[in-house]
Amino acid sequence: MIKINNLYKSFGSLEVLKGITKKIKKGEVVAVIGPSGSGKSTFLRCINMLEEITSGDVIIEGKNITDPKVNINKVRQNVGMVFQHFNLFPHKTVLENLMLAPMKVKKLKKEEVVKKAKDLLKRVGLEDKGSSYPDSLSGGQKQRIAIARALAMEPDTLLFDEPTSALDPEMVREVLDVIRDLAESGMTMIVVTHEMGFAKSVANRVFFMDYGVILEDAAPKELFENPTHERTKEFLDKVLNH
Amino acid sequence: MTYLETLKEIFIEGDRYMYILKGLMFSINVTILAAIIGIVFGIVLALCRLSHFYPLKTKFNPLSQGALIYIDLIRGTPAVVQLMVLANIVFVGSFRDVPILIVAGLAFGLNSAAYVAEIIRAGIEGLDKGQSEAARALGMNYFVTMKEVIVPQAVRKILPTLVSEFITLLKETSIVGFIGGVDLLRSANIITSQTYRGVEPLIAVGIIYLILTSLFTKFMRKIEEKVKN
């Protein structure tokens, strides 16, 4: 369970998040939509403290990550993240990318980690790519590897920061299919996305963000068919009818 | 008299080639000493520049500022001046008897460190920020992130630039004659003063410099290939 209380974030004098309070239950799949610059990515990055939090609390499984006494590295082991630009380690093979954190952070035995990594590669449909380097993969393959890398730590929660925005259109599907599978397996997920169709079909909840606040929080059917806010209507009108 | 005999007269007679050999050894030793000091101190300076150390709760970072001032000072003044300052102002009095090799190695090492620091800093800062973010998001701490993700990639990036820095260093040691060190270039001058032949000794040491840098470059290219994957 993730509790966010009155979260504020500023970059210098620019206030990006202006007081967000939300609870996200275990197993929920939340899609975060909204115009660019609305603070979606910053919101996501505050949840694992990749951005320093200006004020407010983020409480993950009872641990307040803004408390300096809480070991953020321990919390991050349970909160995986998938980035827009994949951020695979180019100097390591695909298998090594998956194995690095379990071995260096969790200190697991190599044989165990190899087996787990190979299983994960099979799960994302890339079992033959273990010894390749990331540079030789397509964007869609890279993103599936990045998801497998995050899963290798066996997290409870996964954060997705626009996972398909950097992909060629024909590769979006293969990545979304993997994410959809994960959603069905009961993983708690927060997905910042521009794929409205995906948000509609996979998420249990959709947040619409604008100007640093979550304006609307509703089930996808409700939010897409009967948005209550004028801004939500305008945004949906722009992205759905073009 | 053929030209070959002239050359023999210049270099062989009076065992004058020994000046060159001794000068060669001196140049190599100074360069190695300076390179070691340069790398070690350069890494320290680079880490200071990259540190996030704000003891006064302001934007003032004493480590980074201190390193920056040092780097600006060293890069902004000629190496000859630094060498002379070290030899004539610092190493005087009870330090008089410190061997020239040490003084020169220290001077060139302290000089090289400033350049090495900037090469390393640029290499690390030039890496995509997403790399360290991905590592941190997986739960790696700062040390593991540096060791497993940042440094291996940075080394690949900076190796070619470091090689040119050390080639420059080798050639730059030729100013050590200013404080009485007998290096390759100075050995040529000595032979000139004894034989009144100015061109041949210079060309000879030029060729030796070229051979040294070629060997070094070749060796480093091998290493570069090895670390590439």
Side-chain angles (χ1 to χ4, degrees), chain A residues 202-234:
Chain A
V202 176
N204 328 116
R205 252 171 112 179
V206 181
F207 292 172
F208 173 73
M209 276 188 83
D210 200 15
Y211 295 111
V213 292
I214 295 177
L215 266 186
E216 204 155 339
D217 166 10
K221 198 167 149 56
E222 217 178 299
L223 191 134
F224 284 106
E225 286 167 20
N226 284 310
T228 49
H229 274 268
E230 202 49 43
R231 284 289 300 142
T232 320
K233 275 179 210 161
E234 265 173 51

mmCIF file of all heavy atoms in Angstrom, chain A residues 202-234:
data_model
loop_
_atom_site.group_PDB
_atom_site.id
_atom_site.type_symbol
_atom_site.label_atom_id
_atom_site.label_comp_id
_atom_site.label_asym_id
_atom_site.label_seq_id
_atom_site.Cartn_x
_atom_site.Cartn_y
_atom_site.Cartn_z
ATOM 1 N N VAL A 202 -6.564 -1.425 -19.257
ATOM 2 C CA VAL A 202 -5.768 -2.135 -18.252
ATOM 3 C C VAL A 202 -5.937 -1.577 -16.842
ATOM 4 O O VAL A 202 -5.966 -2.322 -15.872
ATOM 5 C CB VAL A 202 -4.274 -2.139 -18.650
ATOM 6 C CG1 VAL A 202 -3.440 -2.789 -17.563
ATOM 7 C CG2 VAL A 202 -4.089 -2.870 -19.955
ATOM 8 N N ALA A 203 -6.056 -0.252 -16.728
ATOM 9 C CA ALA A 203 -6.050 0.358 -15.390
ATOM 10 C C ALA A 203 -7.360 0.113 -14.648
ATOM 11 O O ALA A 203 -8.414 -0.052 -15.250
ATOM 12 C CB ALA A 203 -5.794 1.859 -15.523
ATOM 13 N N ASN A 204 -7.277 0.061 -13.289
ATOM 14 C CA ASN A 204 -8.498 0.076 -12.481
ATOM 15 C C ASN A 204 -8.858 1.506 -12.128
ATOM 16 O O ASN A 204 -9.972 1.803 -11.748
ATOM 17 C CB ASN A 204 -8.366 -0.642 -11.131
ATOM 18 C CG ASN A 204 -7.428 -1.798 -11.162
ATOM 19 O OD1 ASN A 204 -6.408 -1.800 -10.501
ATOM 20 N ND2 ASN A 204 -7.785 -2.792 -11.953
ATOM 21 N N ARG A 205 -7.813 2.368 -12.175
ATOM 22 C CA ARG A 205 -8.013 3.743 -11.756
ATOM 23 C C ARG A 205 -7.237 4.630 -12.698
ATOM 24 O O ARG A 205 -6.139 4.277 -13.119
ATOM 25 C CB ARG A 205 -7.401 3.925 -10.366
ATOM 26 C CG ARG A 205 -8.381 4.066 -9.238
ATOM 27 C CD ARG A 205 -7.583 3.995 -7.963
ATOM 28 N NE ARG A 205 -7.589 5.291 -7.302
ATOM 29 C CZ ARG A 205 -6.973 5.506 -6.141
ATOM 30 N NH1 ARG A 205 -6.283 4.551 -5.562
ATOM 31 N NH2 ARG A 205 -7.032 6.687 -5.579
ATOM 32 N N VAL A 206 -7.784 5.783 -12.992
ATOM 33 C CA VAL A 206 -7.047 6.741 -13.811
ATOM 34 C C VAL A 206 -6.961 8.062 -13.057
ATOM 35 O O VAL A 206 -7.956 8.536 -12.503
ATOM 36 C CB VAL A 206 -7.738 6.954 -15.179
ATOM 37 C CG1 VAL A 206 -6.942 7.938 -16.028
ATOM 38 C CG2 VAL A 206 -7.898 5.638 -15.919
ATOM 39 N N PHE A 207 -5.724 8.600 -12.987
ATOM 40 C CA PHE A 207 -5.538 9.954 -12.435
ATOM 41 C C PHE A 207 -5.385 10.898 -13.606
ATOM 42 O O PHE A 207 -4.559 10.656 -14.496
ATOM 43 C CB PHE A 207 -4.251 10.043 -11.604
ATOM 44 C CG PHE A 207 -4.250 9.263 -10.319
ATOM 45 C CD1 PHE A 207 -3.070 9.143 -9.586
ATOM 46 C CD2 PHE A 207 -5.410 8.665 -9.834
ATOM 47 C CE1 PHE A 207 -3.045 8.430 -8.397
ATOM 48 C CE2 PHE A 207 -5.395 7.957 -8.648
ATOM 49 C CZ PHE A 207 -4.208 7.831 -7.927
ATOM 50 N N PHE A 208 -6.141 11.992 -13.605
ATOM 51 C CA PHE A 208 -5.871 13.045 -14.584
ATOM 52 C C PHE A 208 -5.158 14.175 -13.868
ATOM 53 O O PHE A 208 -5.670 14.745 -12.917
ATOM 54 C CB PHE A 208 -7.171 13.551 -15.222
ATOM 55 C CG PHE A 208 -6.946 14.751 -16.097
ATOM 56 C CD1 PHE A 208 -6.327 14.606 -17.334
ATOM 57 C CD2 PHE A 208 -7.307 16.028 -15.679
ATOM 58 C CE1 PHE A 208 -6.083 15.717 -18.140
ATOM 59 C CE2 PHE A 208 -7.055 17.141 -16.481
ATOM 60 C CZ PHE A 208 -6.447 16.981 -17.713
ATOM 61 N N MET A 209 -3.935 14.468 -14.328
ATOM 62 C CA MET A 209 -3.136 15.523 -13.680
ATOM 63 C C MET A 209 -3.074 16.752 -14.543
ATOM 64 O O MET A 209 -2.958 16.670 -15.764
ATOM 65 C CB MET A 209 -1.696 15.039 -13.450
ATOM 66 C CG MET A 209 -1.520 14.230 -12.190
ATOM 67 S SD MET A 209 0.215 13.913 -11.864
ATOM 68 C CE MET A 209 0.696 15.418 -11.043
ATOM 69 N N ASP A 210 -3.125 17.907 -13.902
ATOM 70 C CA ASP A 210 -2.937 19.162 -14.608
ATOM 71 C C ASP A 210 -2.404 20.194 -13.617
ATOM 72 O O ASP A 210 -2.876 20.268 -12.488
ATOM 73 C CB ASP A 210 -4.274 19.623 -15.204
ATOM 74 C CG ASP A 210 -4.053 20.616 -16.337
ATOM 75 O OD1 ASP A 210 -2.911 20.709 -16.815
ATOM 76 O OD2 ASP A 210 -5.018 21.273 -16.724
ATOM 77 N N TYR A 211 -1.411 20.967 -14.046
ATOM 78 C CA TYR A 211 -0.820 22.010 -13.204
ATOM 79 C C TYR A 211 -0.469 21.510 -11.808
ATOM 80 O O TYR A 211 -0.761 22.172 -10.812
ATOM 81 C CB TYR A 211 -1.757 23.224 -13.108
ATOM 82 C CG TYR A 211 -1.939 23.906 -14.438
ATOM 83 C CD1 TYR A 211 -3.146 23.870 -15.107
ATOM 84 C CD2 TYR A 211 -0.855 24.566 -15.031
ATOM 85 C CE1 TYR A 211 -3.302 24.479 -16.335
ATOM 86 C CE2 TYR A 211 -1.001 25.183 -16.260
ATOM 87 C CZ TYR A 211 -2.230 25.138 -16.914
ATOM 88 O OH TYR A 211 -2.364 25.741 -18.123
ATOM 89 N N GLY A 212 0.115 20.326 -11.728
ATOM 90 C CA GLY A 212 0.666 19.875 -10.450
ATOM 91 C C GLY A 212 -0.330 19.314 -9.455
ATOM 92 O O GLY A 212 0.027 19.064 -8.306
ATOM 93 N N VAL A 213 -1.568 19.136 -9.849
ATOM 94 C CA VAL A 213 -2.523 18.477 -8.947
ATOM 95 C C VAL A 213 -3.237 17.360 -9.699
ATOM 96 O O VAL A 213 -3.274 17.355 -10.928
ATOM 97 C CB VAL A 213 -3.580 19.452 -8.375
ATOM 98 C CG1 VAL A 213 -2.940 20.448 -7.434
ATOM 99 C CG2 VAL A 213 -4.308 20.157 -9.496
ATOM 100 N N ILE A 214 -3.772 16.407 -8.932
ATOM 101 C CA ILE A 214 -4.582 15.366 -9.556
ATOM 102 C C ILE A 214 -6.019 15.885 -9.551
ATOM 103 O O ILE A 214 -6.675 15.960 -8.511
ATOM 104 C CB ILE A 214 -4.444 14.028 -8.800
ATOM 105 C CG1 ILE A 214 -2.998 13.541 -8.942
ATOM 106 C CG2 ILE A 214 -5.430 13.007 -9.369
ATOM 107 C CD1 ILE A 214 -2.693 12.271 -8.195
ATOM 108 N N LEU A 215 -6.473 16.296 -10.726
ATOM 109 C CA LEU A 215 -7.788 16.925 -10.832
ATOM 110 C C LEU A 215 -8.890 15.896 -10.716
ATOM 111 O O LEU A 215 -9.945 16.158 -10.180
ATOM 112 C CB LEU A 215 -7.918 17.618 -12.193
ATOM 113 C CG LEU A 215 -7.553 19.098 -12.271
ATOM 114 C CD1 LEU A 215 -7.890 19.623 -13.643
ATOM 115 C CD2 LEU A 215 -8.282 19.893 -11.202
ATOM 116 N N GLU A 216 -8.623 14.713 -11.278
ATOM 117 C CA GLU A 216 -9.690 13.730 -11.305
ATOM 118 C C GLU A 216 -9.118 12.341 -11.057
ATOM 119 O O GLU A 216 -8.036 12.014 -11.535
ATOM 120 C CB GLU A 216 -10.371 13.787 -12.681
ATOM 121 C CG GLU A 216 -11.780 13.272 -12.629
ATOM 122 C CD GLU A 216 -12.655 13.854 -13.732
ATOM 123 O OE1 GLU A 216 -12.318 14.912 -14.286
ATOM 124 O OE2 GLU A 216 -13.683 13.235 -14.037
ATOM 125 N N ASP A 217 -9.831 11.564 -10.288
ATOM 126 C CA ASP A 217 -9.391 10.219 -9.911
ATOM 127 C C ASP A 217 -10.629 9.336 -10.003
ATOM 128 O O ASP A 217 -11.542 9.450 -9.193
ATOM 129 C CB ASP A 217 -8.835 10.264 -8.479
ATOM 130 C CG ASP A 217 -8.657 8.874 -7.873
ATOM 131 O OD1 ASP A 217 -8.788 7.869 -8.614
ATOM 132 O OD2 ASP A 217 -8.371 8.800 -6.666
ATOM 133 N N ALA A 218 -10.660 8.496 -11.032
ATOM 134 C CA ALA A 218 -11.887 7.713 -11.225
ATOM 135 C C ALA A 218 -11.574 6.430 -11.953
ATOM 136 O O ALA A 218 -10.470 6.232 -12.461
ATOM 137 C CB ALA A 218 -12.888 8.531 -12.037
ATOM 138 N N ALA A 219 -12.558 5.536 -11.998
ATOM 139 C CA ALA A 219 -12.411 4.332 -12.811
ATOM 140 C C ALA A 219 -12.334 4.770 -14.266
ATOM 141 O O ALA A 219 -12.913 5.795 -14.644
ATOM 142 C CB ALA A 219 -13.600 3.411 -12.591
ATOM 143 N N PRO A 220 -11.598 3.993 -15.101
ATOM 144 C CA PRO A 220 -11.384 4.451 -16.480
ATOM 145 C C PRO A 220 -12.677 4.721 -17.242
ATOM 146 O O PRO A 220 -12.782 5.721 -17.946
ATOM 147 C CB PRO A 220 -10.585 3.306 -17.115
ATOM 148 C CG PRO A 220 -10.512 2.216 -16.122
ATOM 149 C CD PRO A 220 -10.854 2.765 -14.794
ATOM 150 N N LYS A 221 -13.648 3.846 -17.077
ATOM 151 C CA LYS A 221 -14.892 4.007 -17.824
ATOM 152 C C LYS A 221 -15.528 5.369 -17.511
ATOM 153 O O LYS A 221 -15.905 6.128 -18.404
ATOM 154 C CB LYS A 221 -15.855 2.874 -17.443
ATOM 155 C CG LYS A 221 -16.989 2.666 -18.418
ATOM 156 C CD LYS A 221 -17.672 1.338 -18.125
ATOM 157 C CE LYS A 221 -19.148 1.356 -18.450
ATOM 158 N NZ LYS A 221 -19.500 1.730 -19.794
ATOM 159 N N GLU A 222 -15.546 5.655 -16.199
ATOM 160 C CA GLU A 222 -16.146 6.902 -15.745
ATOM 161 C C GLU A 222 -15.372 8.113 -16.261
ATOM 162 O O GLU A 222 -15.943 9.061 -16.795
ATOM 163 C CB GLU A 222 -16.091 6.880 -14.224
ATOM 164 C CG GLU A 222 -17.279 7.485 -13.524
ATOM 165 C CD GLU A 222 -17.077 7.334 -12.028
ATOM 166 O OE1 GLU A 222 -16.978 6.175 -11.562
ATOM 167 O OE2 GLU A 222 -16.983 8.361 -11.350
ATOM 168 N N LEU A 223 -14.034 8.032 -16.088
ATOM 169 C CA LEU A 223 -13.228 9.193 -16.436
ATOM 170 C C LEU A 223 -13.260 9.472 -17.939
ATOM 171 O O LEU A 223 -13.310 10.625 -18.359
ATOM 172 C CB LEU A 223 -11.793 8.995 -15.960
ATOM 173 C CG LEU A 223 -10.920 10.250 -16.045
ATOM 174 C CD1 LEU A 223 -10.137 10.450 -14.780
ATOM 175 C CD2 LEU A 223 -9.988 10.194 -17.240
ATOM 176 N N PHE A 224 -13.237 8.416 -18.717
ATOM 177 C CA PHE A 224 -13.200 8.648 -20.164
ATOM 178 C C PHE A 224 -14.576 8.981 -20.729
ATOM 179 O O PHE A 224 -14.695 9.695 -21.704
ATOM 180 C CB PHE A 224 -12.619 7.420 -20.885
ATOM 181 C CG PHE A 224 -11.126 7.320 -20.762
ATOM 182 C CD1 PHE A 224 -10.541 6.376 -19.920
ATOM 183 C CD2 PHE A 224 -10.299 8.184 -21.466
ATOM 184 C CE1 PHE A 224 -9.174 6.284 -19.786
ATOM 185 C CE2 PHE A 224 -8.915 8.097 -21.330
ATOM 186 C CZ PHE A 224 -8.353 7.153 -20.497
ATOM 187 N N GLU A 225 -15.630 8.441 -20.094
ATOM 188 C CA GLU A 225 -16.962 8.677 -20.658
ATOM 189 C C GLU A 225 -17.689 9.851 -20.014
ATOM 190 O O GLU A 225 -18.439 10.559 -20.677
ATOM 191 C CB GLU A 225 -17.800 7.392 -20.566
ATOM 192 C CG GLU A 225 -17.342 6.371 -21.604
ATOM 193 C CD GLU A 225 -17.903 4.983 -21.373
ATOM 194 O OE1 GLU A 225 -18.911 4.867 -20.662
ATOM 195 O OE2 GLU A 225 -17.297 4.020 -21.890
ATOM 196 N N ASN A 226 -17.468 10.042 -18.712
ATOM 197 C CA ASN A 226 -18.148 11.148 -18.030
ATOM 198 C C ASN A 226 -17.185 11.994 -17.205
ATOM 199 O O ASN A 226 -17.311 12.065 -15.985
ATOM 200 C CB ASN A 226 -19.223 10.605 -17.079
ATOM 201 C CG ASN A 226 -20.431 10.147 -17.835
ATOM 202 O OD1 ASN A 226 -20.956 10.866 -18.677
ATOM 203 N ND2 ASN A 226 -20.856 8.939 -17.515
ATOM 204 N N PRO A 227 -16.216 12.637 -17.828
ATOM 205 C CA PRO A 227 -15.280 13.435 -17.027
ATOM 206 C C PRO A 227 -16.031 14.594 -16.362
ATOM 207 O O PRO A 227 -16.903 15.194 -16.969
ATOM 208 C CB PRO A 227 -14.267 13.940 -18.055
ATOM 209 C CG PRO A 227 -14.940 13.834 -19.365
ATOM 210 C CD PRO A 227 -15.947 12.745 -19.269
ATOM 211 N N THR A 228 -15.685 14.853 -15.096
ATOM 212 C CA THR A 228 -16.408 15.898 -14.375
ATOM 213 C C THR A 228 -15.766 17.273 -14.576
ATOM 214 O O THR A 228 -16.452 18.272 -14.569
ATOM 215 C CB THR A 228 -16.462 15.589 -12.870
ATOM 216 O OG1 THR A 228 -15.143 15.253 -12.451
ATOM 217 C CG2 THR A 228 -17.409 14.453 -12.578
ATOM 218 N N HIS A 229 -14.418 17.267 -14.759
ATOM 219 C CA HIS A 229 -13.755 18.567 -14.874
ATOM 220 C C HIS A 229 -13.693 19.055 -16.311
ATOM 221 O O HIS A 229 -13.501 18.268 -17.242
ATOM 222 C CB HIS A 229 -12.333 18.484 -14.313
ATOM 223 C CG HIS A 229 -12.270 18.713 -12.846
ATOM 224 N ND1 HIS A 229 -12.053 19.952 -12.302
ATOM 225 C CD2 HIS A 229 -12.415 17.862 -11.809
ATOM 226 C CE1 HIS A 229 -12.072 19.855 -10.978
ATOM 227 N NE2 HIS A 229 -12.281 18.583 -10.654
ATOM 228 N N GLU A 230 -13.803 20.357 -16.438
ATOM 229 C CA GLU A 230 -13.708 20.972 -17.761
ATOM 230 C C GLU A 230 -12.352 20.668 -18.412
ATOM 231 O O GLU A 230 -12.276 20.321 -19.582
ATOM 232 C CB GLU A 230 -13.900 22.489 -17.607
ATOM 233 C CG GLU A 230 -14.351 23.191 -18.868
ATOM 234 C CD GLU A 230 -15.549 22.502 -19.533
ATOM 235 O OE1 GLU A 230 -16.505 22.101 -18.818
ATOM 236 O OE2 GLU A 230 -15.516 22.346 -20.761
ATOM 237 N N ARG A 231 -11.280 20.752 -17.592
ATOM 238 C CA ARG A 231 -9.929 20.527 -18.103
ATOM 239 C C ARG A 231 -9.768 19.076 -18.612
ATOM 240 O O ARG A 231 -9.105 18.828 -19.606
ATOM 241 C CB ARG A 231 -8.875 20.811 -17.024
ATOM 242 C CG ARG A 231 -8.618 22.274 -16.761
ATOM 243 C CD ARG A 231 -7.876 22.937 -17.899
ATOM 244 N NE ARG A 231 -6.575 22.322 -18.159
ATOM 245 C CZ ARG A 231 -6.069 22.137 -19.366
ATOM 246 N NH1 ARG A 231 -6.746 22.502 -20.436
ATOM 247 N NH2 ARG A 231 -4.888 21.575 -19.522
ATOM 248 N N THR A 232 -10.365 18.144 -17.896
ATOM 249 C CA THR A 232 -10.288 16.748 -18.327
ATOM 250 C C THR A 232 -10.977 16.581 -19.675
ATOM 251 O O THR A 232 -10.450 15.932 -20.590
ATOM 252 C CB THR A 232 -10.955 15.812 -17.292
ATOM 253 O OG1 THR A 232 -10.631 16.261 -15.987
ATOM 254 C CG2 THR A 232 -10.500 14.391 -17.462
ATOM 255 N N LYS A 233 -12.138 17.193 -19.799
ATOM 256 C CA LYS A 233 -12.878 17.109 -21.060
ATOM 257 C C LYS A 233 -12.042 17.656 -22.210
ATOM 258 O O LYS A 233 -11.906 17.018 -23.259
ATOM 259 C CB LYS A 233 -14.174 17.925 -20.948
ATOM 260 C CG LYS A 233 -15.312 17.146 -20.318
ATOM 261 C CD LYS A 233 -16.558 18.013 -20.205
ATOM 262 C CE LYS A 233 -17.356 17.569 -18.994
ATOM 263 N NZ LYS A 233 -18.313 18.585 -18.544
ATOM 264 N N GLU A 234 -11.477 18.843 -21.967
ATOM 265 C CA GLU A 234 -10.663 19.488 -23.008
ATOM 266 C C GLU A 234 -9.513 18.585 -23.434
ATOM 267 O O GLU A 234 -9.253 18.398 -24.618
ATOM 268 C CB GLU A 234 -10.054 20.782 -22.463
ATOM 269 C CG GLU A 234 -10.830 22.034 -22.771
ATOM 270 C CD GLU A 234 -10.216 23.208 -22.035
ATOM 271 O OE1 GLU A 234 -8.981 23.403 -22.143
ATOM 272 O OE2 GLU A 234 -10.965 23.920 -21.325
#
